[in-house]
Every structure is written in C-alpha cells, then in structure tokens.
Amino acid sequence: MSDQAPLIFRKVLGGLRPVGPIAEAAIRALDDGPVRVRITRTAGNVRRNALYWSCLGIAAPMLSERIEGDAIDAEMLHRILKDRRGLVRVITLPSGDTIKDYDSTSFAKMAEPERAAFVDWALATLSKWLGVQVEDLLREGQAA
C-alpha cells in the first residue's frame, strides 16, 4: 500500500482502462506523447487502498468548501490524516526549527493490520468531519 494514490487500470479489449477518478485524472493529464508504464504486482490490500484514496478524493473538495484559504486535495488530506494519527516524524534542525517528515511512516512498511486500522480510523474521522455516516462515505468511494 503506497502513500500515493494508486493508478489502477483494468485490461479491457487488449488495452488498459482507468479504474476510478484518480486514474481517470492521470489519463486526462496526458498529452499525445508516449508514456512509460510499469506493471507491478500489488502488495497489501489494493481494494482497501483504492477505496481509501477514492474517499479522500471525494472528501477533499467537500472539506475545502468548509475551510478558509486554499483548497485541499487528496494528497494534502492524506498528510493531514497521517499527522493527526501521529504517523509523522518531527525532525529538529540544527537551527532549532522543526519540520515534519510525512514520508517517515510509509504504508508499504506497515503490516496489513496496521494499514487496515489506519484506513478504518481515517474513514471514521472523515465521516465525522463531513457529518455523514461511514457507510455513505464508503458507498460513494466504491462508486467512484
């Protein structure tokens, strides 16, 4: 399970078709030039990972309407949730300033039960922030 939204495609009639809004957006962003595709075997629960990122993609614009300042996207919302859950290492620089290393706790390095617990917590948190039932958020994420 990666800390980036997965670009999931399905083989259809000898070609690859995007599955979900994140893969569709990646295809729309392409120009007519060639692209490199790396086919890999997936690790962890890919369906849960895809559902998580789909829900982030749905929740981010809705939450953006409720905040002041710049809109947030799925990647930023992912970082907010990781930070809130304590999965971000704080580094103190020689100057005394601190920065947050959002890549310090990678999904790929977490055991499946830890990833599942994080996703369950994240979806419950999003549903609370949005004022919707977790089931409704899941339903929307599966439809995306």
Side-chain angles (χ1 to χ4, degrees):
M1 192 162 172
S2 172
D3 276 9
Q4 295 182 338
L7 298 178
I8 299 176
F9 294 82
R10 178 171 286 125
K11 183 178 174 183
V12 178
L13 299 173
L16 295 176
R17 301 291 313 244
V19 175
I22 296 168
E24 289 170 359
I27 291 293
R28 280 193 304 273
L30 294 175
D31 58 18
D32 290 336
V35 297
R36 182 176 64 138
V37 175
R38 181 175 175 224
I39 298 176
T40 61
R41 292 188 183 262
T42 57
N45 188 325
V46 176
R47 291 183 67 180
R48 182 183 300 120
N49 189 19
L51 178 63
Y52 170 73
W53 284 99
S54 291
C55 289
L56 291 184
I58 292 165
M62 295 170 72
L63 289 170
S64 290
E65 293 175 2
R66 298 179 180 193
I67 63 172
E68 293 181 21
D70 295 337
I72 59 175
D73 60 11
E75 181 67 32
M76 184 183 292
L77 184 53
H78 171 66
R79 288 178 169 214
I80 292 167
L81 290 166
K82 280 182 72 174
D83 193 0
R84 192 167 178 95
R85 186 70 168 176
L87 298 176
V88 176
R89 184 173 59 140
V90 177
I91 299 169
T92 303
L93 301 174
S95 65
D97 294 336
T98 59
I99 59 170
K100 293 183 178 184
D101 179 7
Y102 290 97
D103 297 326
S104 61
T105 306
S106 168
F107 276 3
K109 294 179 182 171
M110 296 170 87
E112 187 62 33
E114 289 177 285
R115 286 191 296 266
F118 174 78
V119 171
D120 290 346
W121 170 84
L123 296 179
T125 300
L126 291 175
S127 73
K128 188 172 22 174
W129 288 351
L130 293 169
V132 300
Q133 296 295 317
V134 174
E135 294 77 16
D136 294 333
L137 188 60
L138 289 170
R139 194 174 309 109
E140 288 297 317
Q142 290 169 341

